Amino acid sequence: MSTSQNRRALVTGASSGIGAATVRRLRADGWDVVATARRADRLAALAEDTGAEVFAADLTQAADVTALVDYVEQTGGLDAVVNNAGGALGLDPVATSDVEQWRAMYEINVLGTLQVTQAVLPLLRARGGGDVVVVTSTAADGAYEGGAGYTGAKHAERMLATTLRWEIVDEPIRVIQIAPGAVATEEFSLVRFGGDAERAAAVYDGFEPLVADDIADAVSWTLSRPAHVNVDLLVVRPRAQASNTKTSRKASDV
């Protein structure tokens, strides 16, 4: 339970990668943090390492979201949410892609973000203002072959964030979107390619990608701006990556 006067944030997708790094960074910055994800064992380890509160939940399930937000409300309220939960599945052409993979990507990237954001807005309003951070992706910027399911989901998530920004502009709530490019985490590409470690590692061959701490740093920076400053969209790519389809594979040698 949060008993201090520190600002308090909810971070989703916190069991690994960007989410876990964001929990660590915000705790280092002095925030109280509620970390949520499906895997209770990983959350327990994160709590031990950081002192964060944890609450296991599947954000595609409305009942889990309700239970999570009830917990947050009853234990101290909320100043910010970092909607980070998401992911990619497969890299297949439209003609042969798996409909269930598309459905899963929309459920977690879009509908999960929607359900959490809807549920926490009253808590932010009760605080007199706050921050909604949405971690999308440069996949929202345009198409690439094999990526229609993921780019479509991330574009929808971007439209959610952008539209919310317009709709609540009269309120003291910031809507911040952070769009990472290539980020090498322990699970993102491995999950995308069904556990194929060799194929996952090849994504980052020949250049230095971002790491989870780079995006956690971006989250921290946007949240630390003065209250009148809204970072509408922050695109963060490796130096070697000019676009989704343009990467210098020799950059690590330069």
Side-chain angles (χ1 to χ4, degrees):
M1 180 181 295
S2 175
T3 57
S4 75
Q5 295 303 307
N6 295 339
R7 296 183 74 196
R8 194 178 192 215
L10 170 64
V11 179
T12 72
S15 60
S16 65
I18 292 169
T22 298
V23 171
R24 293 188 179 95
R25 176 56 186 267
L26 293 183
R27 288 293 295 146
D29 289 347
W31 286 73
D32 292 334
V33 178
V34 179
T36 189
R38 290 176 297 176
R39 293 176 289 184
D41 57 337
R42 288 194 172 221
L43 290 177
L46 184 65
E48 185 174 351
D49 288 345
T50 66
E53 302 166 69
V54 296
F55 193 101
D58 180 346
L59 302 184
T60 68
Q61 301 300 313
D64 278 21
V65 173
T66 298
L68 168 65
V69 176
D70 284 349
Y71 167 81
V72 172
E73 182 177 22
Q74 293 164 13
T75 56
L78 198 66
D79 298 286
V81 60
V82 181
N83 286 295
N84 166 74
L89 295 171
L91 194 64
D92 301 314
V94 170
T96 58
S97 57
D98 186 330
V99 171
E100 290 307 312
Q101 287 188 338
W102 281 49
R103 195 185 314 279
M105 286 188 282
Y106 276 79
E107 285 282 354
I108 188 57
N109 290 287
V110 185
L111 300 183
T113 296
L114 174 63
Q115 290 189 125
V116 170
T117 301
Q118 287 178 332
V120 302
L121 278 172
L123 303 189
L124 300 179
R125 288 168 174 148
R127 254 326 194 246
D131 297 302
V132 176
V133 178
V134 183
V135 180
T136 59
S137 169
T138 57
D141 291 339
Y144 58 88
E145 291 171 295
Y150 184 57
T151 60
K154 283 302 184 182
H155 186 75
E157 190 179 29
R158 172 168 293 182
M159 289 303 99
L160 184 162
T162 302
T163 304
L164 178 65
R165 169 87 168 98
W166 294 6
E167 290 171 345
I168 64 172
V169 68
D170 289 333
E171 301 184 45
I173 296 174
R174 301 188 296 189
V175 181
I176 297 163
Q177 185 188 157
I178 298 174
V183 184
T185 64
E186 65 268 35
E187 292 190 321
F188 180 85
S189 289
L190 196 64
V191 170
R192 182 170 209 170
F193 296 125
D196 186 333
E198 185 176 350
R199 192 177 180 194
V203 172
Y204 311 109
D205 280 350
F207 73 102
E208 183 177 359
L210 302 177
V211 295
D213 285 342
D214 296 322
I215 306 306
D217 183 53
V219 172
S220 171
W221 179 78
T222 61
L223 289 173
S224 70
R225 297 307 85 204
H228 72 286
V229 177
N230 198 103
V231 181
D232 287 10
L233 172 61
L234 177 61
V235 176
V236 187
R237 299 184 192 268
R239 179 183 59 80
Q241 185 186 37
S243 75
N244 292 341
T245 57
K246 180 69 173 179
T247 301
S248 170
R249 296 284 174 173
K250 298 180 180 179
S252 60
D253 299 327
V254 175

